Amino acid sequence: MQPTTTTTEREIAEQPQSIARTLEVNHNEIEALGRELSSRPVTAVMIAARGSSDNAGVYAKYLFQGFNGVPVAMATPSLYTFYHTPPRLKDIFVLGISQSGQSEDIVEVMAEARRQGALTASITSDARSPVAAQSQHVLKLETGPEKAVAATKTFTSSLALVAGLSAAWQQSQERKTALSALPGLASATLAAARGPVDLSAPTFRHISRCVVLSRGFSYCIAMEVALKLKELTYVTAEPYSSADFQHGPMAMVEPNFPVILVAMRGVLHDHLVELAGQVKQRKADLVCISDSPQILELGDSRLPVSEGSPEWLSPILAVMPGQMFALRLSQARGIDPDVPRGLSKVTVTR
Amino acid sequence: MQPTTTTTEREIAEQPQSIARTLEVNHNEIEALGRELSSRPVTAVMIAARGSSDNAGVYAKYLFQGFNGVPVAMATPSLYTFYHTPPRLKDIFVLGISQSGQSEDIVEVMAEARRQGALTASITSDARSPVAAQSQHVLKLETGPEKAVAATKTFTSSLALVAGLSAAWQQSQERKTALSALPGLASATLAAARGPVDLSAPTFRHISRCVVLSRGFSYCIAMEVALKLKELTYVTAEPYSSADFQHGPMAMVEPNFPVILVAMRGVLHDHLVELAGQVKQRKADLVCISDSPQILELGDSRLPVSEGSPEWLSPILAVMPGQMFALRLSQARGIDPDVPRGLSKVTVTR
């Protein structure tokens, strides 16, 4: 890899430190919120977020359902901002995720939740932002300023906060201990993926489209890697859960079609091995992001993730080779990743 | 339009009759389920579905939240089938939508819901299917056999059942009356869109990608039209809520980039006029599906939807020009729409 030259690249490299600092600084607030969640009736969770933060919300959806046993719904902000017919939120835990804390529609969801007496919390970089102002609990992203337009370090730190909150809510010491190993594994992943990404990404410089597949806890990472590709390379990158993909869009795969598969160790491993076989049978050009040697083996390109994290934490590592891949592909296509066309850092939507 | 030759085209044309019959045959069951929903504590709705049925589920998400006041979550089947850590579903209304009623993962969600004592219902073509067997209430799609691989008439009839159920749950006579006008408006829409679709669709035969945009009640239609395009034309068609689109993917739009906008009358109208202006400023090739003359006016191609339905029902009409567009584009690309590559009618996924 060349010397670090772009802001995007620097911020990708800062992730291990950002995650460590974010978890450390928020330790007490996470514990307090976890205790409150485990001591009051919470019938469901509602998550309000946009863009990369929405992908962090999908991660939360799997963790809060799988470990904390509550149904999780993604908010539909237009019902608050345009239709003015929000649902009943009384015993709902409403979590807003907004890096800037400025998004009007997220503010509106949080404000309505407060009016209805719901328990509210937000994940944001700005503790004085409008989203934070509507939240009883604020978990602050301690990443330092994120200057690149494409979110990277705020994304992984948001996931780390979600992971910490789920563990605190469950009061699981085992999970908290696993979380403490994350920054080290993140450093190792960034180092291990560098060479393979530098070799592989430029060879995709002529693609105009691709799909990104995963399932389960890492499904959110397929969504996030696809978003990075769209933001940084203008490639039409579509994320799919493997099950949805098999329900139709598989038809798109013709010889040489680029498929990125995010497939981590765990209960979905063998299912995803099978999926890899199906797309290879159609002669796809397969990029595997994985901590499993068996999965990597199946890829035409192999982007390794450090082994050693439990499946529920591994998405936070898996996104990193994907971010690096999008960055290098951007550069190979002659794009300045720090200034992608037509994007601004703060998007205010109702 | 040529004489009706393909199964897909025949099934698209049958939709007014399918909707009318489905609503009529299920009238008593819809009323009974609506009464049960309004008389017991329902803290949230959980919807389990895949493919086109999942898009029908997104429609339900807006209606049940906006009119019936309950949070709605989309199920994550892998938590039931792979992780074996389903959330608590006791006071949840669990709705499975599966045309074939065969999908293993939907069956598993329904079975778990029953084990936990939740109220369950399914929408399916086969009242003796495994999904139906796990449901206390079965709403049966009375479309006759759907032989084309791409779902069309089962999709719109699923939406009609969701609309009827939401109205019955709310005990709204006004909404029930509006629903009864739907088959007539569907016929008028099919007739009105035919000519414009036949002119417009073939001119897109060389595209490899496009986006489909909407927001609010019709967001599900952007998703469904994109899915039809992928299934029938192999074009990489990506659906977005306008808000998510403005949060990043807008960067993809370069001169001549194909954008399909589904924009119906109602509270989002002016917002979508603005969005149309933004993509036109980037010189997109804009296809408008709308019941609003002002929106149609903004399109390079104009696919009209019959006026006269309230906004919450209009998605069921809006999908029809999109289905026809996908069909004609498929034919213009030399594809047999009845036998798209690599798709089977029943997809069994865990």
Side-chain angles (χ1 to χ4, degrees):
Chain A
M1 215 173 213
Q2 304 96 320
T4 300
T5 48
T6 67
T7 302
T8 308
E9 186 162 348
R10 263 195 307 276
E11 293 180 352
I12 288 173
E14 285 166 22
Q15 293 179 102
Q17 292 75 23
S18 294
I19 291 170
R21 202 164 45 234
T22 296
L23 288 174
E24 192 190 318
V25 172
N26 288 281
H27 179 267
N28 291 343
E29 188 65 20
I30 289 173
E31 287 296 318
L33 179 52
R35 274 193 304 273
E36 189 163 352
L37 283 163
S38 59
S39 68
R40 58 189 274 174
V42 176
T43 54
V45 176
M46 177 78 80
I47 295 172
R50 288 279 177 205
S52 285
S53 297
D54 195 48
N55 298 338
V58 173
Y59 180 64
K61 179 168 178 170
Y62 281 82
L63 260 48
F64 293 157
Q65 291 193 122
F67 289 100
N68 308 106
V70 286
V72 178
M74 308 306 281
T76 45
S78 65
L79 291 175
Y80 304 73
T81 54
F82 284 97
Y83 294 101
H84 303 294
T85 55
R88 289 184 291 277
L89 298 170
K90 194 176 159 302
D91 287 324
I92 311 286
F93 167 47
V94 181
L95 175 64
I97 310 178
S98 172
Q99 180 268 320
S100 69
Q102 301 295 332
S103 202
E104 262 180 54
D105 48 5
I106 311 304
V107 175
E108 259 315 298
V109 174
M110 303 307 293
E112 176 63 28
R114 284 197 88 170
R115 272 192 288 275
Q116 294 196 28
L119 176 61
T120 54
S122 59
I123 292 176
T124 177
S125 294
D126 182 356
R128 284 177 307 277
S129 63
V131 169
Q134 296 297 338
S135 310
Q136 292 153 275
H137 294 262
V138 178
L139 303 179
K140 187 171 167 300
L141 297 163
E142 296 287 346
T143 62
E146 186 172 63
K147 290 179 183 156
V149 168
T152 56
K153 61 181 181 177
T154 56
F155 175 73
T156 47
S157 283
S158 295
L159 264 58
L161 286 171
V162 165
L165 183 56
S166 175
W169 184 356
Q170 198 191 1
Q171 303 180 307
S172 162
Q173 194 51 54
E174 184 192 345
R175 291 179 68 210
K176 291 179 198 176
T177 304
L179 189 56
S180 67
L182 192 63
L185 290 166
S187 294
T189 297
L190 289 169
R194 188 160 300 174
V197 166
D198 284 353
L199 274 177
S200 164
T203 69
F204 287 88
R205 67 191 176 280
H206 294 300
I207 67 172
S208 61
R209 53 178 181 156
C210 68
V211 295
V212 190
L213 309 180
S214 191
R215 184 124 188 241
F217 292 149
S218 282
Y219 173 46
C220 58
I221 301 306
M223 299 179 70
E224 177 64 8
V225 171
L227 182 57
K228 290 308 103 171
L229 285 166
K230 283 183 280 203
E231 289 177 342
L232 294 178
T233 74
Y234 318 147
V235 166
T236 304
E238 282 197 291
Y240 289 101
S241 121
S242 57
D244 288 323
F245 191 68
Q246 290 166 327
H247 263 268
M250 177 74 94
M252 283 186 300
V253 180
E254 49 191 30
N256 215 29
F257 190 96
V259 174
I260 300 174
L261 175 66
V262 182
M264 305 298 284
R265 285 158 183 265
V267 301
L268 285 155
H269 182 273
D270 294 354
H271 164 76
L272 293 169
V273 167
E274 206 177 287
L275 177 73
Q278 287 168 6
V279 299
K280 274 178 73 91
Q281 208 169 11
R282 288 160 177 267
K283 302 197 182 0
D285 190 350
L286 180 63
V287 179
C288 288
I289 296 176
S290 183
D291 58 356
S292 150
Q294 190 189 347
I295 297 268
L296 288 170
E297 188 75 15
L298 295 167
D300 299 294
S301 301
R302 301 163 186 184
L303 310 185
V305 176
S306 284
E307 299 179 26
S309 80
E311 186 189 357
W312 64 277
L313 270 178
S314 67
I316 308 178
L317 303 172
V319 74
M320 294 179 189
Q323 294 167 334
M324 293 163 72
F325 185 87
L327 169 72
R328 283 286 176 261
L329 183 55
S330 171
Q331 293 171 319
R333 286 162 70 87
I335 296 165
D336 178 351
D338 294 343
V339 198
R341 183 178 61 204
L343 282 180
S344 57
K345 184 71 189 165
V346 178
T347 314
V348 179
T349 47
R350 279 176 66 206
Chain B
M1 212 174 212
Q2 304 95 320
T4 299
T5 48
T6 68
T7 303
T8 308
E9 185 161 350
R10 265 196 304 277
E11 293 181 352
I12 288 173
E14 285 167 22
Q15 292 179 102
Q17 293 74 21
S18 294
I19 291 169
R21 200 163 48 234
T22 296
L23 288 174
E24 191 190 318
V25 173
N26 289 279
H27 178 266
N28 291 344
E29 188 64 21
I30 289 173
E31 288 296 318
L33 178 52
R35 274 193 304 275
E36 189 163 353
L37 283 164
S38 59
S39 67
R40 59 188 273 173
V42 176
T43 56
V45 176
M46 177 78 80
I47 295 172
R50 289 280 177 203
S52 285
S53 297
D54 194 47
N55 298 338
V58 172
Y59 180 64
K61 180 169 176 168
Y62 280 82
L63 261 49
F64 293 157
Q65 291 193 120
F67 289 100
N68 308 107
V70 286
V72 178
M74 308 304 282
T76 46
S78 65
L79 291 175
Y80 304 72
T81 54
F82 284 98
Y83 295 101
H84 303 295
T85 54
R88 290 185 291 275
L89 299 170
K90 194 176 158 303
D91 287 324
I92 310 288
F93 168 48
V94 180
L95 175 64
I97 310 178
S98 172
Q99 180 270 320
S100 69
Q102 301 294 332
S103 202
E104 263 181 53
D105 48 5
I106 311 305
V107 176
E108 260 314 300
V109 174
M110 304 307 292
E112 176 63 29
R114 284 198 88 168
R115 272 192 289 275
Q116 294 195 27
L119 176 62
T120 55
S122 59
I123 292 176
T124 177
S125 294
D126 182 357
R128 283 178 306 279
S129 63
V131 168
Q134 296 296 337
S135 310
Q136 291 153 279
H137 294 263
V138 178
L139 304 179
K140 187 170 169 298
L141 296 163
E142 297 287 346
T143 62
E146 186 173 62
K147 290 180 182 156
V149 169
T152 55
K153 61 181 180 176
T154 56
F155 175 73
T156 46
S157 284
S158 295
L159 264 58
L161 286 171
V162 165
L165 184 55
S166 175
W169 185 354
Q170 198 191 1
Q171 303 179 307
S172 162
Q173 194 52 52
E174 184 191 345
R175 291 180 68 209
K176 291 178 199 174
T177 305
L179 190 55
S180 67
L182 193 62
L185 290 166
S187 294
T189 297
L190 288 169
R194 188 160 300 175
V197 165
D198 284 352
L199 274 178
S200 165
T203 70
F204 287 87
R205 67 192 176 279
H206 295 301
I207 67 171
S208 62
R209 52 179 181 157
C210 69
V211 295
V212 190
L213 309 181
S214 192
R215 186 125 187 240
F217 293 148
S218 281
Y219 173 47
C220 59
I221 301 307
M223 298 180 70
E224 177 65 7
V225 171
L227 182 57
K228 290 308 104 170
L229 285 166
K230 282 183 282 202
E231 290 177 342
L232 295 177
T233 74
Y234 317 147
V235 165
T236 304
E238 283 197 290
Y240 288 102
S241 122
S242 57
D244 288 323
F245 191 67
Q246 290 166 327
H247 264 266
M250 176 75 93
M252 284 186 301
V253 179
E254 49 192 30
N256 214 29
F257 190 98
V259 174
I260 300 174
L261 176 66
V262 182
M264 304 298 284
R265 285 158 181 264
V267 301
L268 284 155
H269 182 272
D270 294 351
H271 164 77
L272 293 169
V273 167
E274 207 177 289
L275 177 73
Q278 287 168 7
V279 300
K280 274 178 73 91
Q281 207 168 11
R282 289 162 177 267
K283 302 196 181 4
D285 189 351
L286 181 63
V287 178
C288 288
I289 297 176
S290 184
D291 58 356
S292 150
Q294 190 189 349
I295 296 268
L296 288 170
E297 186 75 14
L298 294 167
D300 300 294
S301 301
R302 302 162 187 186
L303 310 185
V305 176
S306 284
E307 298 178 26
S309 81
E311 186 189 356
W312 64 277
L313 271 178
S314 67
I316 308 178
L317 303 172
V319 73
M320 294 178 188
Q323 295 167 334
M324 294 163 71
F325 186 87
L327 169 73
R328 283 288 176 260
L329 183 54
S330 171
Q331 294 170 319
R333 286 162 70 87
I335 297 165
D336 178 351
D338 294 344
V339 197
R341 182 178 65 204
L343 282 180
S344 57
K345 185 71 189 164
V346 178
T347 314
V348 179
T349 48
R350 279 175 67 207

